[in-house]
Amino acid sequence: RGSYTIGREAQADAKFRRVARITVCGKTALAKEVFGETLNESRDPDRPPERYTARYYLKFNFLEQAFDRLSEAGFRMAACSSTGTCAFAPEQGGPADDKIWTSYTEYVFCRD
């Protein structure tokens, strides 16, 4: 998940932010195998290894690191989907026509 702000008429000085959080969905044992100590399990700490979870996230915010770890573990990207939503943000101190966009991108990896 990430967010960015675009001002009047899509100004060139749009403010982009890094990815806010990288969530991990899959079997607990497999997530631990791939991401090790970088996996934050605080939202689902007692999940058995054979069970599926969608509540883990990574302790870093860089997609390249996640992709590298998946590649090193023999995974390949199988699909990708993205969406964005928009809201006006005058209450956040910006002009009334500033917009805050929230983006959500999902990457699906598989291992043969």
Side-chain angles (χ1 to χ4, degrees):
R1 294 186 174 106
S3 64
Y4 51 95
T5 303
I6 296 181
R8 296 177 201 166
E9 300 175 20
Q11 296 170 342
D13 62 340
K15 299 173 189 170
F16 288 89
R17 295 187 211 170
R18 70 174 188 241
V19 174
R21 179 173 284 179
I22 302 171
T23 56
V24 176
C25 306
K27 285 191 175 181
T28 299
L30 191 55
K32 288 179 181 180
E33 172 194 329
V34 173
F35 296 108
E37 295 299 316
T38 64
L39 190 67
N40 189 327
E41 303 173 52
S42 64
R43 294 176 59 209
D44 204 0
D46 300 322
R47 178 67 68 180
E50 70 281 356
R51 297 293 306 270
Y52 177 89
T53 186
R55 297 184 50 84
Y56 292 164
Y57 60 94
L58 299 179
K59 294 178 182 177
F60 54 81
N61 296 324
F62 301 99
L63 288 174
E64 294 82 3
Q65 285 178 284
F67 290 178
D68 287 346
R69 287 183 179 244
L70 286 160
S71 177
E72 290 165 3
F75 284 84
R76 63 178 175 79
M77 188 184 303
C80 176
S81 174
S82 184
T83 185
T85 57
C86 175
F88 289 99
E91 69 279 354
Q92 295 184 1
D97 60 348
D98 274 4
K99 299 176 182 179
I100 291 184
W101 290 80
T102 300
S103 64
Y104 175 81
T105 306
E106 180 177 85
Y107 302 95
V108 178
F109 287 84
C110 66
R111 182 164 62 179
D112 296 328

